Amino acid sequence: MSSSLSRTETLSLFSLFAACVGIIANTFHGDGEPLIASIAFSGIAFASTYALIRWLGDVFIRAGLKGKDMSKRNAPIIPETMGAVCAVVYLLIIIVFIPFPFYKDIVVATSGGGNRDFIVKAEQVETGRFLHRFPHSKLASYLSAILSLQSVVILGLGDDLFDIRWRHKLLIPAFASIPMLIVYFVDFGVTQIVVPKLLRPYFGELLNLGWLYYAYMASIGIFCPNSINILAGINGLEVSQSIIIALLLILNDLLYVLPISPSAPPHPATDSHFFSLYLLLPFLGTSLALWTQNWYPAKVFVGDTYCYFAGMVFAVVGIQGHFSKTLLLLLIPQIANFLYSAPQLFHVVPCPRHRLPRFNGRTGLLEPSMADFTQKPLRPPVELVVKVLGNLRLLKTEEDEEGRVVRSSNFTIINLWLVWFGPMREDRLATGLLGMQIACGLLGLWVRHSLALLVFTADNWSLGISRS
Ligand code: UD1
Ligand code: MG
């Protein structure tokens, strides 16, 4: 891989970088225009990640961070863990961004020149009349988001370096969720859910889940990172699915943030959706840069660091923005892949180290990869279920002459796609799966914004809760 940038690339990246710096310098007035600043920071994130990935490729290979592209002839070795570059650029950008959403409050609190004594005099503190209330809780949730993301990146790097075992991997993000759950507890603390109309005679309008609600949020923190990591193994899939989810979340945020008419009062959840935009836009910037290098034929791999990091970004915005149910509606393919994978993940059916599709060197196409049961035959009830799934075309199965199932396709929706539509080239497979991700996501958003009103009678707005 060539590690230097071409002249055109250098020129375009530099122009983008300079333009974004110019835009940011211009935001220091009025409310500070944090959204404009966030978009400009995302441009900087794109330019920096793009250049760094190209510069660091060889360094990563020398450090042993490399992987074999198994779906190509001669299985070339390319740099892995490039998600670490994304994550580091992202973290630095959102740290530098901290003052921007609070610019207005900082100006008021310090009278503009950093002079704290100017407004808040002793007698005013007593009466409290002029005491400006800085939104510490918002700052706390922003900082805890950074802390959660940082923890998951450290743990993800550990996984890329030392190949942690699966049962331990599952728990990695649980620790990383703790900072954001604590801030949720202190700051928001709502553990009630709105009960669907049908069940109201039994449970009332709101049901308090108590600590179960925290268990639910922690599970989202565990699910998002891992579900992206297991819907992986073909060029571009990890980062493209993350970009699509991020774009759909941004679309959902815009539905709240953009005023329907100029005179309409802002939606009560506006602030949480701005928070979500500030975290998602730079994520989109770094991910798009990674995408250009990871799409078929991949020049770099994203590594587990990227999968954990991306999943945690979604968990953090979903939980702190109070729209975890909407988030789950955008993860339908990931949920389907997890449920379909469950027999192999929980070792009811043998699970090989890699379940990515098998590359056929003769045709150059991908075929479903197969799990072998000859060493460890399936127990009769499991075998029966596998046979039924085979008959329903939900698996490809092979039987020996005694009618025992000896092999079946691996339980991922990537392989299922190949069972349904036949062998195909890697990029066509990725495009098909991503088309499905977009369709499911748009359907999810439509369900959220139209059908949900029928099930819950009213939007959360009229119930006085800003969780959606
Ligand atoms: C998860 C999956 C595993 C899948 C792997 C592929 C489960 C339980 N685990 O494991 O089945 O095979 O991801 O990412 O579902 N690779 C390619 N082409 C790609 C991407 C990856 O050949 O486009 C290969 C490379 O050799 C790369 C390796 O996969 O080095 C990365 O695998 P890793 O992320 O370590 O696997 P897991 O996340 O443990
Ligand atoms: Mg992985």
Side-chain angles (χ1 to χ4, degrees), residues 62-94:
R62 277 202 298 279
L65 297 170
K66 56 190 178 190
K68 231 190 251 166
D69 195 343
M70 301 202 240
S71 310
K72 305 285 178 304
R73 291 202 170 86
N74 328 324
I77 298 224
I78 58 178
E80 185 142 10
T81 319
M82 277 302 166
V85 176
C86 274
V88 169
V89 169
Y90 176 84
L91 285 169
L92 293 180
I93 292 275
I94 58 168

mmCIF file of all heavy atoms in Angstrom, residues 62-94:
data_model
loop_
_atom_site.group_PDB
_atom_site.id
_atom_site.type_symbol
_atom_site.label_atom_id
_atom_site.label_comp_id
_atom_site.label_asym_id
_atom_site.label_seq_id
_atom_site.Cartn_x
_atom_site.Cartn_y
_atom_site.Cartn_z
ATOM 1 N N ARG A 62 4.392 -2.961 10.591
ATOM 2 C CA ARG A 62 5.642 -3.262 11.305
ATOM 3 C C ARG A 62 5.369 -3.582 12.772
ATOM 4 O O ARG A 62 6.064 -4.370 13.387
ATOM 5 C CB ARG A 62 6.612 -2.074 11.206
ATOM 6 C CG ARG A 62 7.407 -2.076 9.900
ATOM 7 C CD ARG A 62 8.682 -1.261 10.049
ATOM 8 N NE ARG A 62 8.430 0.143 10.354
ATOM 9 C CZ ARG A 62 8.113 1.059 9.424
ATOM 10 N NH1 ARG A 62 8.023 0.724 8.160
ATOM 11 N NH2 ARG A 62 7.888 2.306 9.782
ATOM 12 N N ALA A 63 4.343 -2.945 13.344
ATOM 13 C CA ALA A 63 4.022 -3.182 14.759
ATOM 14 C C ALA A 63 3.224 -4.478 14.926
ATOM 15 O O ALA A 63 2.809 -4.812 16.040
ATOM 16 C CB ALA A 63 3.242 -2.004 15.314
ATOM 17 N N GLY A 64 2.968 -5.175 13.833
ATOM 18 C CA GLY A 64 2.251 -6.449 13.936
ATOM 19 C C GLY A 64 0.754 -6.295 13.854
ATOM 20 O O GLY A 64 0.012 -7.276 13.991
ATOM 21 N N LEU A 65 0.257 -5.078 13.624
ATOM 22 C CA LEU A 65 -1.192 -4.881 13.513
ATOM 23 C C LEU A 65 -1.594 -5.073 12.054
ATOM 24 O O LEU A 65 -1.719 -4.127 11.286
ATOM 25 C CB LEU A 65 -1.575 -3.481 14.002
ATOM 26 C CG LEU A 65 -1.275 -3.227 15.475
ATOM 27 C CD1 LEU A 65 -1.443 -1.764 15.835
ATOM 28 C CD2 LEU A 65 -2.198 -4.086 16.348
ATOM 29 N N LYS A 66 -1.745 -6.338 11.668
ATOM 30 C CA LYS A 66 -2.042 -6.638 10.272
ATOM 31 C C LYS A 66 -2.937 -7.864 10.213
ATOM 32 O O LYS A 66 -3.043 -8.608 11.186
ATOM 33 C CB LYS A 66 -0.741 -6.891 9.519
ATOM 34 C CG LYS A 66 0.075 -7.986 10.157
ATOM 35 C CD LYS A 66 1.464 -8.082 9.586
ATOM 36 C CE LYS A 66 2.221 -9.160 10.325
ATOM 37 N NZ LYS A 66 3.611 -9.226 10.066
ATOM 38 N N GLY A 67 -3.586 -8.035 9.074
ATOM 39 C CA GLY A 67 -4.475 -9.191 8.915
ATOM 40 C C GLY A 67 -4.474 -9.656 7.473
ATOM 41 O O GLY A 67 -4.096 -8.919 6.567
ATOM 42 N N LYS A 68 -4.897 -10.919 7.292
ATOM 43 C CA LYS A 68 -4.937 -11.511 5.965
ATOM 44 C C LYS A 68 -6.311 -11.269 5.371
ATOM 45 O O LYS A 68 -7.319 -11.574 6.018
ATOM 46 C CB LYS A 68 -4.734 -13.026 6.144
ATOM 47 C CG LYS A 68 -3.652 -13.595 5.254
ATOM 48 C CD LYS A 68 -3.703 -15.092 5.313
ATOM 49 C CE LYS A 68 -2.518 -15.655 6.079
ATOM 50 N NZ LYS A 68 -2.686 -17.043 6.449
ATOM 51 N N ASP A 69 -6.358 -10.697 4.159
ATOM 52 C CA ASP A 69 -7.647 -10.540 3.493
ATOM 53 C C ASP A 69 -8.016 -11.884 2.880
ATOM 54 O O ASP A 69 -7.545 -12.260 1.817
ATOM 55 C CB ASP A 69 -7.580 -9.445 2.426
ATOM 56 C CG ASP A 69 -8.970 -9.020 1.989
ATOM 57 O OD1 ASP A 69 -9.925 -9.783 2.268
ATOM 58 O OD2 ASP A 69 -9.113 -7.946 1.378
ATOM 59 N N MET A 70 -8.884 -12.616 3.584
ATOM 60 C CA MET A 70 -9.111 -14.019 3.244
ATOM 61 C C MET A 70 -9.950 -14.211 1.991
ATOM 62 O O MET A 70 -10.030 -15.304 1.462
ATOM 63 C CB MET A 70 -9.773 -14.707 4.423
ATOM 64 C CG MET A 70 -8.906 -14.619 5.674
ATOM 65 S SD MET A 70 -9.319 -15.880 6.826
ATOM 66 C CE MET A 70 -9.805 -14.941 8.237
ATOM 67 N N SER A 71 -10.614 -13.146 1.534
ATOM 68 C CA SER A 71 -11.485 -13.313 0.366
ATOM 69 C C SER A 71 -10.849 -12.776 -0.907
ATOM 70 O O SER A 71 -11.543 -12.235 -1.766
ATOM 71 C CB SER A 71 -12.822 -12.620 0.628
ATOM 72 O OG SER A 71 -13.332 -13.027 1.861
ATOM 73 N N LYS A 72 -9.522 -12.875 -0.998
ATOM 74 C CA LYS A 72 -8.836 -12.459 -2.224
ATOM 75 C C LYS A 72 -7.873 -13.576 -2.620
ATOM 76 O O LYS A 72 -7.446 -14.372 -1.765
ATOM 77 C CB LYS A 72 -7.998 -11.184 -1.974
ATOM 78 C CG LYS A 72 -8.756 -10.013 -1.405
ATOM 79 C CD LYS A 72 -9.627 -9.316 -2.439
ATOM 80 C CE LYS A 72 -10.410 -8.172 -1.820
ATOM 81 N NZ LYS A 72 -11.243 -8.538 -0.676
ATOM 82 N N ARG A 73 -7.497 -13.605 -3.915
ATOM 83 C CA ARG A 73 -6.472 -14.557 -4.333
ATOM 84 C C ARG A 73 -5.179 -14.183 -3.616
ATOM 85 O O ARG A 73 -4.903 -13.007 -3.428
ATOM 86 C CB ARG A 73 -6.256 -14.479 -5.843
ATOM 87 C CG ARG A 73 -7.457 -15.003 -6.589
ATOM 88 C CD ARG A 73 -7.134 -15.452 -8.006
ATOM 89 N NE ARG A 73 -8.304 -16.144 -8.526
ATOM 90 C CZ ARG A 73 -9.328 -15.522 -9.118
ATOM 91 N NH1 ARG A 73 -9.293 -14.229 -9.303
ATOM 92 N NH2 ARG A 73 -10.387 -16.200 -9.519
ATOM 93 N N ASN A 74 -4.402 -15.126 -3.182
ATOM 94 C CA ASN A 74 -3.126 -14.982 -2.442
ATOM 95 C C ASN A 74 -3.290 -14.332 -1.068
ATOM 96 O O ASN A 74 -2.293 -14.007 -0.438
ATOM 97 C CB ASN A 74 -2.040 -14.166 -3.172
ATOM 98 C CG ASN A 74 -2.101 -14.307 -4.651
ATOM 99 O OD1 ASN A 74 -2.409 -15.403 -5.127
ATOM 100 N ND2 ASN A 74 -1.816 -13.237 -5.369
ATOM 101 N N ALA A 75 -4.506 -14.102 -0.610
ATOM 102 C CA ALA A 75 -4.755 -13.530 0.715
ATOM 103 C C ALA A 75 -3.711 -12.483 1.128
ATOM 104 O O ALA A 75 -2.886 -12.734 1.994
ATOM 105 C CB ALA A 75 -4.815 -14.654 1.751
ATOM 106 N N PRO A 76 -3.755 -11.293 0.511
ATOM 107 C CA PRO A 76 -2.747 -10.272 0.840
ATOM 108 C C PRO A 76 -2.833 -9.821 2.296
ATOM 109 O O PRO A 76 -3.908 -9.865 2.900
ATOM 110 C CB PRO A 76 -3.112 -9.103 -0.091
ATOM 111 C CG PRO A 76 -4.548 -9.317 -0.425
ATOM 112 C CD PRO A 76 -4.761 -10.799 -0.426
ATOM 113 N N ILE A 77 -1.672 -9.385 2.824
ATOM 114 C CA ILE A 77 -1.648 -8.899 4.212
ATOM 115 C C ILE A 77 -1.766 -7.380 4.201
ATOM 116 O O ILE A 77 -1.026 -6.695 3.493
ATOM 117 C CB ILE A 77 -0.323 -9.323 4.880
ATOM 118 C CG1 ILE A 77 -0.277 -10.838 4.884
ATOM 119 C CG2 ILE A 77 -0.165 -8.678 6.246
ATOM 120 C CD1 ILE A 77 0.177 -11.483 6.120
ATOM 121 N N ILE A 78 -2.724 -6.862 4.947
ATOM 122 C CA ILE A 78 -2.907 -5.407 4.994
ATOM 123 C C ILE A 78 -3.017 -4.946 6.451
ATOM 124 O O ILE A 78 -3.256 -5.759 7.344
ATOM 125 C CB ILE A 78 -4.161 -4.964 4.192
ATOM 126 C CG1 ILE A 78 -5.428 -5.653 4.720
ATOM 127 C CG2 ILE A 78 -3.985 -5.217 2.707
ATOM 128 C CD1 ILE A 78 -6.684 -5.209 3.995
ATOM 129 N N PRO A 79 -2.807 -3.635 6.715
ATOM 130 C CA PRO A 79 -2.849 -3.145 8.096
ATOM 131 C C PRO A 79 -4.228 -3.364 8.727
ATOM 132 O O PRO A 79 -5.245 -3.219 8.053
ATOM 133 C CB PRO A 79 -2.587 -1.642 7.961
ATOM 134 C CG PRO A 79 -2.093 -1.422 6.585
ATOM 135 C CD PRO A 79 -2.523 -2.568 5.752
ATOM 136 N N GLU A 80 -4.250 -3.720 10.011
ATOM 137 C CA GLU A 80 -5.522 -3.899 10.724
ATOM 138 C C GLU A 80 -5.586 -2.839 11.844
ATOM 139 O O GLU A 80 -4.643 -2.084 12.040
ATOM 140 C CB GLU A 80 -5.605 -5.325 11.287
ATOM 141 C CG GLU A 80 -6.928 -5.647 11.929
ATOM 142 C CD GLU A 80 -7.427 -7.081 11.677
ATOM 143 O OE1 GLU A 80 -6.660 -7.903 11.163
ATOM 144 O OE2 GLU A 80 -8.590 -7.340 12.002
ATOM 145 N N THR A 81 -6.729 -2.820 12.576
ATOM 146 C CA THR A 81 -6.879 -1.902 13.712
ATOM 147 C C THR A 81 -6.849 -0.437 13.297
ATOM 148 O O THR A 81 -6.489 0.421 14.079
ATOM 149 C CB THR A 81 -5.769 -2.139 14.776
ATOM 150 O OG1 THR A 81 -5.581 -3.526 14.898
ATOM 151 C CG2 THR A 81 -6.152 -1.622 16.136
ATOM 152 N N MET A 82 -7.198 -0.130 12.037
ATOM 153 C CA MET A 82 -7.203 1.273 11.624
ATOM 154 C C MET A 82 -8.322 2.051 12.323
ATOM 155 O O MET A 82 -8.322 3.273 12.343
ATOM 156 C CB MET A 82 -7.344 1.377 10.116
ATOM 157 C CG MET A 82 -6.031 1.223 9.424
ATOM 158 S SD MET A 82 -4.898 2.487 10.027
ATOM 159 C CE MET A 82 -3.351 1.884 9.413
ATOM 160 N N GLY A 83 -9.267 1.325 12.911
ATOM 161 C CA GLY A 83 -10.304 1.975 13.706
ATOM 162 C C GLY A 83 -9.698 2.746 14.866
ATOM 163 O O GLY A 83 -10.283 3.717 15.349
ATOM 164 N N ALA A 84 -8.497 2.332 15.297
ATOM 165 C CA ALA A 84 -7.846 3.038 16.398
ATOM 166 C C ALA A 84 -7.520 4.468 15.973
ATOM 167 O O ALA A 84 -7.640 5.402 16.773
ATOM 168 C CB ALA A 84 -6.578 2.302 16.816
ATOM 169 N N VAL A 85 -7.138 4.649 14.704
ATOM 170 C CA VAL A 85 -6.846 6.000 14.213
ATOM 171 C C VAL A 85 -8.127 6.839 14.254
ATOM 172 O O VAL A 85 -8.146 7.962 14.756
ATOM 173 C CB VAL A 85 -6.282 5.943 12.777
ATOM 174 C CG1 VAL A 85 -6.073 7.333 12.216
ATOM 175 C CG2 VAL A 85 -4.997 5.149 12.735
ATOM 176 N N CYS A 86 -9.226 6.250 13.742
ATOM 177 C CA CYS A 86 -10.524 6.921 13.805
ATOM 178 C C CYS A 86 -10.865 7.335 15.222
ATOM 179 O O CYS A 86 -11.254 8.466 15.477
ATOM 180 C CB CYS A 86 -11.621 5.937 13.418
ATOM 181 S SG CYS A 86 -11.930 5.805 11.722
ATOM 182 N N ALA A 87 -10.716 6.370 16.128
ATOM 183 C CA ALA A 87 -11.153 6.601 17.507
ATOM 184 C C ALA A 87 -10.322 7.704 18.157
ATOM 185 O O ALA A 87 -10.866 8.573 18.846
ATOM 186 C CB ALA A 87 -11.055 5.312 18.306
ATOM 187 N N VAL A 88 -9.013 7.687 17.914
ATOM 188 C CA VAL A 88 -8.160 8.702 18.550
ATOM 189 C C VAL A 88 -8.474 10.083 17.976
ATOM 190 O O VAL A 88 -8.654 11.052 18.726
ATOM 191 C CB VAL A 88 -6.663 8.338 18.374
ATOM 192 C CG1 VAL A 88 -5.785 9.497 18.789
ATOM 193 C CG2 VAL A 88 -6.336 7.097 19.193
ATOM 194 N N VAL A 89 -8.586 10.177 16.646
ATOM 195 C CA VAL A 89 -8.922 11.482 16.044
ATOM 196 C C VAL A 89 -10.268 11.951 16.605
ATOM 197 O O VAL A 89 -10.422 13.100 17.013
ATOM 198 C CB VAL A 89 -8.992 11.364 14.501
ATOM 199 C CG1 VAL A 89 -9.594 12.611 13.881
ATOM 200 C CG2 VAL A 89 -7.616 11.098 13.926
ATOM 201 N N TYR A 90 -11.234 11.026 16.648
ATOM 202 C CA TYR A 90 -12.573 11.373 17.135
ATOM 203 C C TYR A 90 -12.525 11.902 18.567
ATOM 204 O O TYR A 90 -13.082 12.946 18.881
ATOM 205 C CB TYR A 90 -13.464 10.132 17.064
ATOM 206 C CG TYR A 90 -14.842 10.339 17.630
ATOM 207 C CD1 TYR A 90 -15.846 10.897 16.854
ATOM 208 C CD2 TYR A 90 -15.144 9.987 18.949
ATOM 209 C CE1 TYR A 90 -17.106 11.103 17.370
ATOM 210 C CE2 TYR A 90 -16.407 10.186 19.473
ATOM 211 C CZ TYR A 90 -17.386 10.743 18.681
ATOM 212 O OH TYR A 90 -18.640 10.948 19.199
ATOM 213 N N LEU A 91 -11.814 11.179 19.438
ATOM 214 C CA LEU A 91 -11.772 11.582 20.843
ATOM 215 C C LEU A 91 -11.131 12.959 20.985
ATOM 216 O O LEU A 91 -11.633 13.821 21.718
ATOM 217 C CB LEU A 91 -11.014 10.539 21.675
ATOM 218 C CG LEU A 91 -11.802 9.250 21.934
ATOM 219 C CD1 LEU A 91 -10.899 8.172 22.521
ATOM 220 C CD2 LEU A 91 -12.983 9.518 22.860
ATOM 221 N N LEU A 92 -10.025 13.175 20.253
ATOM 222 C CA LEU A 92 -9.372 14.485 20.345
ATOM 223 C C LEU A 92 -10.318 15.583 19.858
ATOM 224 O O LEU A 92 -10.416 16.644 20.473
ATOM 225 C CB LEU A 92 -8.073 14.494 19.537
ATOM 226 C CG LEU A 92 -6.969 13.590 20.094
ATOM 227 C CD1 LEU A 92 -5.727 13.664 19.225
ATOM 228 C CD2 LEU A 92 -6.622 13.976 21.532
ATOM 229 N N ILE A 93 -11.029 15.304 18.769
ATOM 230 C CA ILE A 93 -11.943 16.325 18.222
ATOM 231 C C ILE A 93 -13.062 16.643 19.214
ATOM 232 O O ILE A 93 -13.342 17.808 19.486
ATOM 233 C CB ILE A 93 -12.550 15.842 16.882
ATOM 234 C CG1 ILE A 93 -11.473 15.772 15.799
ATOM 235 C CG2 ILE A 93 -13.731 16.696 16.462
ATOM 236 C CD1 ILE A 93 -11.191 17.055 15.077
ATOM 237 N N ILE A 94 -13.688 15.606 19.800
ATOM 238 C CA ILE A 94 -14.804 15.957 20.698
ATOM 239 C C ILE A 94 -14.299 16.560 22.007
ATOM 240 O O ILE A 94 -15.017 17.273 22.676
ATOM 241 C CB ILE A 94 -15.827 14.825 20.956
ATOM 242 C CG1 ILE A 94 -15.188 13.597 21.541
ATOM 243 C CG2 ILE A 94 -16.624 14.471 19.730
ATOM 244 C CD1 ILE A 94 -16.262 12.652 22.055
#
